Amino acid sequence: MNYMRILLIGALCCGGCNITTILAKSPYEAYIDSAENYVKRERYADAARCYRESLRINPGSPLNSKIFANLGVCLTGAGEYTEALEAFDVALVREPESTSILNSRARTWLLMNKPENAMTDLDTSLAIDSLQREPLRMRGQLHMLSHNQAKAATDFKSLALNFPDEAWGYAGQAQCLMAGNNYSDAIPLLEKAIEIDDNPDFITSLATAQIETEHLQEAKETLREAIRRHPREASLYIVRAILHTRLYENEAAALDKKMAIDLGADPTAVEALLPSRKSR
C-alpha cells in the first residue's frame, strides 16, 4: 500500500506576520505529520490515534476524506478491522468513486475472511477504472478460489496485456489452465512468470506441470535449481518427493517428505499426498 502524503499549504498571511508564524504548523497539520511518521515505522495504532486527533481538531476540513481513508488503512494494520470499515465507509460517503478507498476496504474484507464483500468492492473499483494492477490480480485470485476459472483467466489476461511486468498475469493464466488439466500450455506461461519473479509458488506449479506432462528430467532440474535458491521452501521438497515417487526413488522421496515436514509443512497434508508404505 502506498500511503498518501497529505500536503497542507497554508494561505500567506498579510502584514504583521513574520516568517516563523507563516511556516508554523497548526495542531491539525502536526497530528497528520506525526501520523505519517508513525506509518513509516509501521506503528499503525499510534498513527491511527494521531489521525483521530486531527479529525477531532478540524472536523470540517475538505481533506478529511483522505484522513478517514488513511485512518482505515492504519486501523487495518493494527488489526482493528471493524473500526477500519467504519472509517472507509465515512471516506466513501465523501468520495464514492475513489478506487483507492474501495481497494483498501477490499483488503480489509479479505483480512476478515469475507471474500464476497471484497469482490463487491473490487468489482465497483474496476467498473470505475478497469486498468488497475493490484485489483485485477486480487479479483483474479478470488475468482480462482471460487473456482470460476473463466473469469479469473479474463482478469489475468488483462493483467498480462496491460502490465507485462506483472508476474501474476502469466502465473494466474497458467493456474487456470492447470485447473482444467491443460499442463502443456501452462508451462511457457509459468516460465515467463518466473523470469519476472523467482517465486517458489510459481516454481512449484512449473515443476508440477512438468511432472504431469512426463517431462521428469526437466522437473528434476527445475527443482534442483529452485532448492538451491530457496533451500527452506517446504513446497519444493513436497513436489520433489512426488517426482522421486514417480521415478521409484522411494528413499529419496522419504527424505524429501521428512524435510518438508521439518520445514513446517502440515504433516497430515503431506501424508495425504505422499502416503507412507505402512499406511497403504
Side-chain angles (χ1 to χ4, degrees):
M1 174 69 188
N2 292 322
Y3 295 95
M4 181 176 295
R5 172 67 180 167
I6 300 174
L7 301 176
L8 300 169
I9 304 174
L12 290 176
C13 300
C14 54
C17 293
N18 61 31
I19 189 67
T20 302
T21 303
I22 293 172
L23 294 180
K25 291 183 179 179
S26 69
Y28 178 69
E29 295 171 293
Y31 274 118
I32 290 171
D33 281 351
S34 294
E36 292 174 356
N37 286 328
Y38 281 129
V39 166
K40 290 175 184 176
R41 288 179 279 165
E42 299 184 2
R43 291 175 57 179
Y44 298 119
D46 289 324
R49 174 179 53 78
C50 290
Y51 279 133
R52 280 172 166 152
E53 282 299 311
S54 71
L55 291 166
R56 183 185 63 79
I57 290 170
N58 191 353
S61 170
L63 289 173
N64 281 351
S65 60
K66 305 295 187 296
I67 301 298
F68 273 109
N70 285 358
L71 174 60
V73 170
C74 291
L75 289 168
T76 298
E80 298 179 37
Y81 301 139
T82 301
E83 293 83 353
L85 292 176
E86 292 171 356
F88 289 135
D89 289 346
V90 174
L92 283 166
V93 167
R94 297 171 180 236
E95 292 190 44
E97 295 197 347
S98 170
T99 57
S100 63
I101 299 171
L102 287 163
N103 298 338
S104 294
R105 191 170 69 177
R107 295 184 197 99
T108 303
W109 284 125
L110 286 175
L111 289 169
M112 296 175 73
N113 198 27
K114 293 183 179 292
E116 298 86 357
N117 301 70
M119 182 71 82
T120 298
D121 278 346
L122 292 170
D123 284 343
T124 303
S125 177
L126 287 164
I128 296 166
D129 179 2
S130 62
L131 300 182
Q132 299 181 73
R133 181 194 295 252
E134 188 176 1
L136 279 170
R137 175 179 57 76
M138 290 169 65
R139 191 173 71 175
Q141 291 169 334
L142 286 175
H143 282 314
M144 284 181 60
L145 289 173
S146 62
H147 306 290
N148 193 332
Q149 309 303 337
K151 287 187 176 180
T154 297
D155 280 343
F156 290 131
K157 285 176 183 176
S158 179
L159 195 60
L161 177 65
N162 294 287
F163 304 97
D165 62 336
E166 171 57 62
W168 260 105
Y170 310 100
Q173 291 181 71
Q175 291 189 9
C176 291
L177 290 168
M178 291 173 67
N181 296 320
N182 184 350
Y183 296 99
S184 295
D185 290 341
I187 288 174
L189 288 166
L190 288 164
E191 289 173 339
K192 176 66 175 176
I194 293 165
E195 286 177 10
I196 298 170
D197 180 3
D198 187 33
N199 185 323
D201 290 339
F202 300 162
I203 301 167
T204 297
S205 295
L206 174 60
T208 299
Q210 290 171 328
I211 292 169
E212 293 298 329
T213 54
E214 298 296 329
H215 292 90
L216 302 185
Q217 290 306 314
E218 289 91 335
K220 182 174 278 192
E221 180 61 20
T222 294
L223 290 165
R224 185 186 69 80
E225 281 296 311
I227 288 172
R228 180 182 62 80
R229 298 193 303 273
H230 307 283
R232 300 195 62 78
E233 186 61 42
S235 64
L236 296 172
Y237 293 94
I238 293 171
V239 177
R240 193 169 70 173
I242 293 170
L243 174 61
H244 284 312
T245 300
R246 288 280 186 98
L247 295 170
Y248 303 101
E249 298 168 350
N250 295 323
E251 291 185 7
L255 288 173
D256 275 343
K257 177 181 172 181
K258 180 180 183 302
M259 178 64 77
I261 293 170
D262 289 346
L263 289 171
D266 179 4
T268 302
V270 173
E271 186 64 29
L273 285 170
L274 297 156
S276 302
R277 283 180 174 273
K278 63 182 180 181
S279 64
R280 289 177 181 173

